[in-house]
Amino acid sequence: LSYSTYNQFWKEANSTINDLLVQEIPAEPLKPEKDRLTVFQKLATLYIKYVQIFRKLESSYDQVVHPQKRRILRQVLDGTMGRLLEVKDEMVNLEFSEFHYFDDILSDLKLTPNDIEIPIPKYFLHERKKVLQEREQVLGKILAKMGPTDREAKKMSLEEAIRLVQIHERARQGRLRAKFMREIRLEEEREKLAAQRGAPTLDPDVAATRIQKIWKGFIQRKVTRREREEEMVFIGMVWLCLFEISSNISPYIMTDQYVTILKHVGITQEENEVEYQQALVTIKEKIRQVEGPDIKETMQDQIRQWFIECRDATGKFPDYPDEEDGGSSLLFKEKTPEEAKGEKIRKEEWKEEEGKE
């Protein structure tokens, strides 16, 4: 599948999540439901939909190579898994059972049992690959130090061994004898049927027509398969490299090439992640060197302006904000309209008090 397909999966999952949020968090609180069956139907429907969302997000997260997109996808994916566990826990507490039946709901949603199977996220293994490799190395070293272990074989007397060999040999001979007799019986039946029917005759024109029919069907299926593959490439459903091979090559080679492409996606993800981490440091340092002096000067001007405004309003310089209150960051904090209005009123009050004095 192409990257646009996985982006579409992500888009569909987000749309479904928004619909479920509207359903789970209505504008007006709903009345408590007393019917246990109705509650289970609602929970089961939520569970199935969250499973579908999880499958789409997991596929997208596994194939998307952009680091920023993967971070957002990971947050949504983890949240979906958490909500899925919550719904499952509610179903268990309601039914007092770990196993549930969704036959009627699957039929209504036109789904199959395979559609609600929960796959193990692939990033579970990818992210723990180094840990697992280190664990295997440690176990290998421990086993190497221990050396080979001699297992005590079960002792058997000569009479028991001979008897065991005789039993297996007689069973083998019996199977061969039964197979041989069955083949003789089938051969006799075939000869009997052939004698009753007579020698088979076939007109040469009919034979040629049958051969042409089979050959033309084979050629047409081959052409149709090729056209279908080209159409899938044209609409962006598959990668072009999967079908840039001869039609004479075995499909197993295509499978191997597909596996190679998946490995390439994983390598690209790792390279992009490393590049992203390096870019964070590089861009931060670049901003500090290029724009840092201007930002510093602007902040100093704002702090001076704040001191001057407070002095004009109160007649004296204010105390610098404490570190516990946020220090200078308190001066650059974005204020809500209510906070800005309150600050304006306080300044006017200070001016009035100063005028009275």
Side-chain angles (χ1 to χ4, degrees):
L1 299 179
S2 62
Y3 292 132
S4 60
T5 303
Y6 294 108
N7 289 332
Q8 183 66 25
F9 283 171
W10 187 7
K11 183 178 179 181
E12 293 174 357
N14 285 336
S15 177
T16 309
I17 289 175
N18 292 331
D19 295 339
L20 292 179
L21 288 177
V22 173
Q23 179 181 348
E24 293 190 59
I25 310 176
E28 298 180 359
L30 301 176
K31 295 181 179 180
E33 185 64 49
K34 297 181 180 180
D35 188 4
R36 187 173 63 86
L37 182 59
T38 304
V39 175
F40 177 77
Q41 292 286 337
K42 292 181 179 179
L43 291 175
T45 304
L46 286 176
Y47 178 80
I48 292 174
K49 290 185 177 180
Y50 274 117
V51 169
Q52 292 180 295
I53 293 171
F54 165 74
R55 290 168 65 95
K56 291 180 180 179
L57 291 176
E58 195 275 331
S59 299
S60 300
Y61 182 77
D62 181 58
Q63 293 298 317
V64 171
V65 297
H66 301 286
Q68 296 91 334
K69 287 184 178 181
R70 286 175 58 82
R71 277 165 170 74
I72 299 174
L73 266 171
R74 179 63 180 274
Q75 293 180 1
V76 180
L77 182 58
D78 291 343
T80 302
M81 288 191 292
R83 181 55 184 155
L84 188 62
L85 293 176
E86 291 176 354
V87 175
K88 178 66 175 179
D89 184 64
E90 293 180 9
M91 293 168 60
V92 171
N93 294 332
L94 182 66
E95 292 288 310
F96 301 104
S97 174
E98 293 282 346
F99 304 96
H100 311 286
Y101 299 95
F102 309 112
D103 298 346
D104 52 345
I105 302 176
L106 292 176
S107 178
D108 295 338
L109 297 176
K110 294 180 174 57
L111 299 175
T112 63
N114 293 332
D115 294 329
I116 60 173
E117 288 185 0
I118 301 179
I120 299 176
K122 299 180 182 63
Y123 70 86
F124 280 7
L125 295 178
H126 295 335
E127 294 183 355
R128 300 180 66 245
K129 182 169 61 176
K130 294 183 179 179
V131 177
L132 295 176
Q133 290 177 352
E134 292 176 357
R135 184 182 301 174
E136 290 180 358
Q137 292 177 358
V138 172
L139 291 176
K141 292 179 180 178
I142 294 174
L143 293 176
K145 290 180 180 179
M146 294 177 61
T149 57
D150 297 332
R151 297 183 178 179
E152 295 183 359
K154 184 179 179 181
K155 295 182 179 180
M156 182 183 298
S157 63
L158 180 60
E159 292 78 7
E160 292 177 349
I162 294 174
R163 184 171 178 272
L164 185 62
V165 172
Q166 288 177 347
I167 291 173
H168 286 281
E169 179 61 21
R170 289 170 183 170
R172 186 186 69 82
Q173 292 179 3
R175 288 192 296 269
L176 290 176
R177 191 179 300 109
K179 181 180 179 182
F180 180 68
M181 295 302 296
R182 184 170 61 253
E183 291 177 353
I184 292 176
R185 185 173 61 255
L186 293 176
E187 183 65 24
E188 291 177 353
E189 292 178 356
R190 283 195 293 268
E191 291 178 356
K192 185 177 180 180
L193 292 175
Q196 293 177 356
R197 294 177 181 175
T201 57
L202 184 63
D203 185 76
D205 294 336
V206 176
T209 303
R210 291 183 180 179
I211 294 174
Q212 291 175 358
K213 179 181 177 181
I214 295 173
W215 176 251
K216 289 181 179 179
F218 169 75
I219 293 297
Q220 186 59 43
R221 285 192 297 271
K222 186 177 179 180
V223 173
T224 303
R225 183 174 65 252
R226 188 70 183 183
E227 291 178 352
R228 186 186 301 113
E229 293 169 355
E230 292 176 354
E231 181 182 3
M232 298 296 283
V233 172
F234 176 74
I235 63 178
M237 290 297 295
V238 292
W239 286 319
L240 180 62
C241 57
L242 284 178
F243 303 108
E244 288 183 344
I245 55 178
S246 174
S247 58
N248 296 326
I249 298 179
S250 171
Y252 294 104
I253 300 179
M254 293 181 62
T255 304
D256 294 339
Q257 190 166 1
Y258 181 70
V259 172
T260 304
I261 291 174
L262 293 181
K263 292 181 180 179
H264 177 70
V265 171
I267 295 173
T268 305
Q269 290 176 350
E270 294 178 358
E271 292 177 351
N272 290 351
E273 180 64 25
V274 173
E275 184 179 354
Y276 174 73
Q277 295 295 339
Q278 293 176 352
L280 290 178
V281 179
T282 305
I283 294 174
K284 184 177 180 180
E285 188 65 26
K286 183 178 180 181
I287 291 176
R288 180 179 297 174
Q289 294 177 358
V290 177
E291 302 182 9
D294 295 337
I295 296 175
K296 183 178 179 180
E297 184 177 353
T298 302
M299 293 175 66
Q300 290 176 349
D301 292 340
Q302 291 180 1
I303 293 174
R304 293 192 193 97
Q305 184 66 25
W306 178 76
F307 274 102
I308 293 173
E309 290 178 357
C310 291
R311 186 200 61 181
D312 295 340
T314 61
K316 60 180 180 179
F317 288 105
D319 296 331
Y320 200 78
D322 296 333
E323 184 177 356
E324 297 177 355
D325 298 333
S328 61
S329 62
L330 188 64
L331 307 179
F332 305 101
K333 179 182 177 182
E334 294 185 2
K335 300 177 182 178
T336 61
E338 292 78 8
E339 293 176 349
K341 185 177 180 181
E343 185 176 354
K344 184 178 180 181
I345 293 174
R346 285 195 299 272
K347 289 182 179 180
E348 292 177 355
E349 292 177 352
W350 290 340
K351 289 182 179 180
E352 291 178 359
E353 292 178 358
E354 184 180 0
K356 291 179 181 179
E357 293 177 357

